[in-house]
Amino acid sequence: MTNTPEVVLASGGAPPRHDGRAAGPVAFKDAFAFAFAAGDVDAAPLEQYDAVVSAMPARVSHGTKMRQNQGYWVLDAFARGAVAMQRGGFAPRAGDVLIASLPKSGTTWLRALAFATMARRASPPASPDHPLRRLNPHDCVPYLDMLFAVGRGAVVDALPSPRLMGTHMALSLLPPTVVDGTSGCKIIYICRDQKDVLVSMWHFLKRNGRQDLSLQEVYDSFCEGTCFQGPVWDHILEYWKASNEDPARVLFLRYEQVLQDPAGTVRELARFVGQPFTGAEEDAGAVADIVELCSLESLRSQRANREGAQGVFAKFSHESYFRKGVAGDWMSHMSPEMGERLDGILRERLDGSGLVL
Ligand code: PAP
């Protein structure tokens, strides 16, 4: 990176501040109104990681080349960036909040909820010009894995604290100071019933050009541990253990619990990031406003989420991130026997951890 841009909001001026401190994370796309392909930010060279990546085992899953990095299957196109990110490319700071998840576990929802919660002083959730009413949640919260994959991870260095960022990487693939907690970076992890996750993934890939993909193929990859970012049990277990060891550093959420009690989750998020709701905010309905702003219906109805696409190596339509948003949809697609088999594999893998999926 030779040319890291100054942060200038799309509206002009510097990021908003509150009480002398930054008021919350800045919507990423507002801060960096550039396309990944644009030449205004130089890409860092990634060739230095070619030898490391080519030594990783490779396979093709759902038509996509994957690499096994420290036991986890990552997209080949993301592998060099993953190594760069882990080996000093990403500089975590105290006050950072990282949203981590396996894909299709509630990432988009959690990014929206956390962003709306942390940025609520600068951007009141009921305001008509809230960033989430004009931007996709993934445009508000930078996706580190993709930024590093295109050599532009260092743009997050220019973001003011507190930063809110997202990753699908396993904990052990993050920089050592995130893994051991010494950076002061907090992590919010969300996990979901893996049967619903795989059905959601199947629909998502079919809606984005893989109409031929069978559910069985996706199912098999989950059971074998070869799906994107898998084995899923190791991914989940690493964050689960870290959360048990230090719950003030790693918050472990379940998609199903968020569905049951979104307001309770928003309060928990606020406490976790050190911004609990005041009595005045509670009285003014700030929690309910955040829940409403981030509801599936509300997000789905925004123009930014009905149109357009994102992704660098492949394009994923924004609308495909918003489907049913329920628990138990797997039953419409899988036999009870298929469900029981995957549950059995997970029970065995998670045995002794105290975690039941
Ligand atoms: P990602 O990891 O690729 O970003 P992610 O957001 O985790 O995807 O997964 C999308 C799922 O979250 C979809 O689930 P489904 O296929 O079972 O329906 C999507 O509907 C759901 N989802 C997205 N936004 C919300 C929301 N606001 N509330 C509840 N569920 C949501």
Side-chain angles (χ1 to χ4, degrees):
M1 173 74 46
T2 57
N3 178 18
T4 302
E6 291 288 308
V7 171
V8 178
L9 297 185
S11 53
R17 302 186 82 80
H18 178 80
D19 294 341
R21 291 179 295 121
V26 180
F28 184 63
K29 197 167 181 182
D30 282 348
F32 294 106
F34 66 86
F36 288 127
D40 55 355
V41 181
D42 296 341
L46 294 171
E47 291 74 22
Q48 58 188 306
Y49 305 113
D50 283 350
V52 185
V53 170
S54 56
M56 295 174 185
R59 76 189 304 276
V60 174
S61 186
H62 316 329
T64 308
K65 188 169 178 187
M66 316 270 283
R67 291 283 185 178
Q68 195 178 31
N69 185 11
Q70 291 180 218
Y72 289 98
W73 289 100
V74 301
L75 295 178
D76 179 63
F78 278 38
R80 295 190 307 177
V83 178
M85 181 166 140
Q86 185 182 30
R87 296 188 182 181
F90 172 49
R93 297 178 200 152
D96 281 349
V97 177
L98 203 50
I99 293 179
S101 59
L102 282 163
K104 306 303 150 203
S105 301
T107 315
T108 312
W109 193 13
L110 181 57
R111 287 185 188 181
L113 287 169
F115 177 80
T117 301
M118 288 178 69
R120 68 187 188 269
R121 290 184 182 128
S123 301
S127 70
D129 62 346
H130 193 282
L132 285 167
R133 294 191 212 283
R134 55 185 172 77
L135 296 174
N136 177 272
H138 300 285
D139 286 333
C140 293
V141 179
Y143 177 27
L144 293 180
D145 315 2
M146 190 188 291
L147 286 168
F148 278 95
V150 294
R152 292 182 170 85
V155 295
V156 295
D157 288 344
L159 285 176
S161 291
R163 299 184 299 181
L164 177 66
M165 299 158 285
T167 183
H168 283 316
M169 290 294 161
L171 181 58
S172 54
L173 294 184
L174 296 175
T177 59
V178 176
V179 180
D180 67 19
T182 53
S183 63
C185 167
K186 291 192 174 208
I187 298 172
I188 307 170
Y189 187 75
I190 187 161
C191 127
R192 185 183 186 188
D193 182 332
Q194 292 303 298
K195 302 186 293 302
D196 284 334
V197 169
L198 81 87
V199 166
S200 181
M201 177 64 85
W202 177 58
H203 280 288
F204 180 77
L205 293 173
K206 276 163 70 80
R207 280 164 80 168
N208 286 289
R210 287 299 316 275
Q211 289 84 351
D212 57 322
L213 186 67
S214 70
L215 179 69
Q216 186 69 45
E217 201 181 320
V218 180
Y219 174 83
D220 289 343
S221 73
F222 272 68
C223 292
E224 288 164 4
T226 54
C227 62
F228 178 49
Q229 307 290 46
V232 295
W233 46 84
D234 286 341
H235 198 285
I236 297 166
L237 263 181
E238 281 198 58
Y239 286 103
W240 170 252
K241 285 180 184 163
S243 171
N244 280 333
E245 279 164 22
D246 191 353
R249 181 171 81 86
V250 183
L251 177 64
F252 192 95
L253 297 176
R254 310 278 295 251
Y255 178 85
E256 296 75 14
Q257 287 172 343
V258 188
L259 275 178
Q260 262 183 8
D261 185 10
T265 302
V266 168
R267 291 191 183 95
E268 196 175 3
L269 287 174
R271 277 193 301 272
F272 180 73
V273 299
Q275 298 176 23
F277 287 91
T278 62
E281 283 182 311
E282 287 280 1
D283 292 347
V287 174
D289 286 346
I290 290 173
V291 170
E292 164 54 24
L293 173 67
C294 302
S295 70
L296 186 63
E297 296 68 32
S298 165
L299 290 180
R300 201 206 308 269
S301 71
Q302 308 300 337
R303 193 168 162 198
N305 296 326
R306 282 186 278 114
E307 298 175 354
Q310 63 176 284
V312 181
F313 304 108
K315 289 287 174 204
F316 300 108
S317 71
H318 283 152
E319 56 86 23
S320 63
Y321 287 84
F322 307 94
R323 198 180 62 93
K324 280 195 175 175
V326 297
D329 188 41
W330 69 270
M331 285 183 262
S332 318
H333 301 280
M334 283 160 53
S335 65
E337 292 73 28
M338 287 172 83
E340 180 43 43
R341 183 176 160 231
L342 180 55
D343 284 346
I345 292 171
L346 288 165
R347 266 196 306 274
E348 200 175 300
R349 297 289 184 166
L350 302 179
D351 188 36
S353 69
L355 177 63
V356 180
L357 287 184

